Amino acid sequence: MIDNTQSIQWFPGHMTKARRKIKEVLPLIDAVAEVVDARIPLSSRNPELKDIIGDKPHIILLNKCDMADKAVTEEWIRYYKTQNITAIALDCKTGKGLNAFKDTVKTALADKLEAYRQKGMVGKPLRVMVVGIPNVGKSSFINKIAGNTKAKVENRPGVTRGNQWFTIDKQLELLDTPGVLWPKFEDKTVGEHLAFTGAVKDRVLDTELLAMRLLEILAENYRDLLTKRYGDIDFDCDSYELLCRIGKKRGMVIRGGETNTERAANMLLEEYRNCKIGFITLERV
Ligand code: G4P
């Protein structure tokens, strides 16, 4: 788990290291699979990745799709298609989408496979580097797809200390990111969205403010879910008042009839994170 304030201080140095390590292994790989959190497909990305990987084929894995709004996930997949990026939805808790991943890689890299075949290199596996900022589920993805078949360290380039290769099947090998990629912490909205999902601890941010920001998004896109969860609410107010109204519905009232907004904020964030309010995507195409 990352501490937001600390990360801002050491972000540049760490990114330089990760950038260098990724560039080193780029010649060894055929494609990059980027794991993102389907609930926040923008904020859960590394801002420099595109620049680092250049024109390597790029596949986006919208993970945690079990917690996201299915219709919006599909919109994202359609959007990426228009950008010539293959994207698929994944749920690494249950493994849903993992088989599609293998097929997707092979389809996306059909040209490469054909080139190998023409050069008589039939059987050469496709090599894909898996990247992702912390907490998007990169380890869950690799563990789930590789099972216990961690590739033996072989005597070939790229198999150095810290570079972990996994054999998935005869045609596919995965490389875990050498180094750590970070989100765009300097962007306030990104920090907030990562805090909503719990990727960044919210103790570094004001909980009530965070809950108000979350309510702004929910009141705009998911009014029906809020009403279903908390009962009829009059939305004709600012987000602080909305938080008060929701808290009151839950009996979080202190002396004088005012809402205990801190309790209400904690409740709201927790219920959002546990999908009690519903399956919600906070960032739209
Ligand atoms: P990372 O390597 O990218 O840092 O992420 P990691 O796999 O450690 O996953 C971070 C958290 O997200 C874990 O929860 C993991 O179980 C959860 N997770 C990963 N993929 C999915 C998914 O597709 N759906 C859902 N619902 N959750 C997913 P945790 O609370 O940190 O641990 P635990 O609950 O597994 O003990």
Side-chain angles (χ1 to χ4, degrees):
M1 204 63 84
I2 328 140
D3 182 314
N4 203 1
T5 43
Q6 273 176 17
S7 308
I8 289 165
Q9 285 158 18
W10 42 260
F11 171 79
H14 272 248
M15 255 329 287
T16 310
K17 201 168 159 198
R19 173 186 271 271
R20 181 175 48 74
K21 286 185 163 185
I22 292 174
K23 286 230 183 243
E24 265 168 31
V25 297
L26 271 185
L28 308 173
I29 57 158
D30 301 306
V32 175
E34 181 185 9
V35 185
V36 307
D37 185 329
R39 296 168 297 172
I40 46 168
L42 294 172
S43 297
S44 60
R45 300 187 66 182
N46 173 275
E48 295 185 42
L49 184 68
K50 194 69 216 140
D51 184 38
I52 302 173
I53 66 172
D55 54 7
K56 279 278 166 196
H58 187 177
I59 298 163
I60 291 190
L61 309 178
L62 292 155
N63 191 35
K64 307 200 186 186
C65 72
D66 53 310
M67 302 170 99
D69 183 331
K70 199 163 173 259
V72 183
T73 301
E74 279 162 14
E75 273 173 35
W76 275 108
I77 292 174
R78 279 196 297 274
Y79 164 76
Y80 285 124
K81 206 167 177 183
T82 66
Q83 306 295 304
N84 281 326
I85 296 177
T86 309
I88 57 166
L90 274 188
D91 165 3
C92 288
K93 275 252 164 162
T94 62
K96 206 172 132 207
L98 287 181
N99 283 332
F101 169 75
K102 294 184 207 171
D103 295 340
T104 302
V105 171
K106 288 166 196 171
T107 309
L109 299 177
D111 292 354
K112 193 100 194 182
L113 282 174
E114 179 55 22
Y116 285 162
R117 198 188 58 78
Q118 283 182 10
K119 285 185 202 157
M121 292 156 77
V122 180
K124 183 171 157 70
L126 294 169
R127 292 186 176 144
V128 178
M129 177 171 64
V130 185
V131 301
I133 66 161
N135 210 48
V136 288
K138 181 167 68 92
S139 320
S140 304
F141 168 68
I142 293 176
N143 289 340
K144 204 88 187 174
I145 198 162
N148 293 321
T149 62
K150 195 183 278 190
K152 278 190 218 126
V153 176
E154 299 162 37
N155 188 15
R156 66 165 152 90
V159 183
T160 55
R161 228 153 51 99
N163 278 2
Q164 291 264 10
W165 285 93
F166 301 85
T167 303
I168 307 307
D169 61 30
K170 272 191 270 176
Q171 281 185 300
L172 183 60
E173 290 180 4
L174 297 185
L175 170 67
D176 195 359
T177 332
V180 182
L181 288 180
W182 297 103
K184 198 175 178 186
F185 271 132
E186 63 275 28
D187 182 324
K188 192 167 141 271
T189 307
V190 169
E192 284 174 0
H193 288 198
L194 289 164
F196 295 153
T197 62
V200 167
K201 279 188 182 148
D202 52 12
R203 66 181 159 73
V204 296
L205 299 162
D206 184 288
T207 313
E208 280 151 282
L209 198 63
L210 206 56
M212 282 159 56
R213 290 260 191 273
L214 178 62
L215 273 178
E216 279 164 19
I217 302 176
L218 300 184
E220 192 180 332
N221 295 322
Y222 294 102
R223 256 178 213 208
D224 50 336
L225 293 183
L226 283 177
T227 308
K228 209 166 150 205
R229 180 82 190 155
Y230 302 109
D232 271 338
I233 315 164
D234 180 0
F235 286 94
D236 191 15
C237 60
D238 62 23
S239 55
Y240 181 76
E241 181 55 28
L242 195 53
L243 183 64
C244 292
R245 289 178 187 179
I246 287 176
K248 274 207 181 99
K249 291 266 183 198
R250 285 293 172 89
M252 294 174 174
V253 180
I254 43 177
R255 252 178 300 165
E258 280 180 26
T259 308
N260 182 336
T261 44
E262 200 184 329
R263 266 187 76 201
N266 280 317
M267 180 268 301
L268 186 89
L269 289 167
E270 176 141 339
E271 296 203 344
Y272 163 72
R273 286 176 193 146
N274 294 329
C275 297
K276 295 251 173 71
I277 305 174
F279 303 116
I280 289 169
T281 301
L282 298 171
E283 294 168 349
R284 306 263 162 155
V285 172

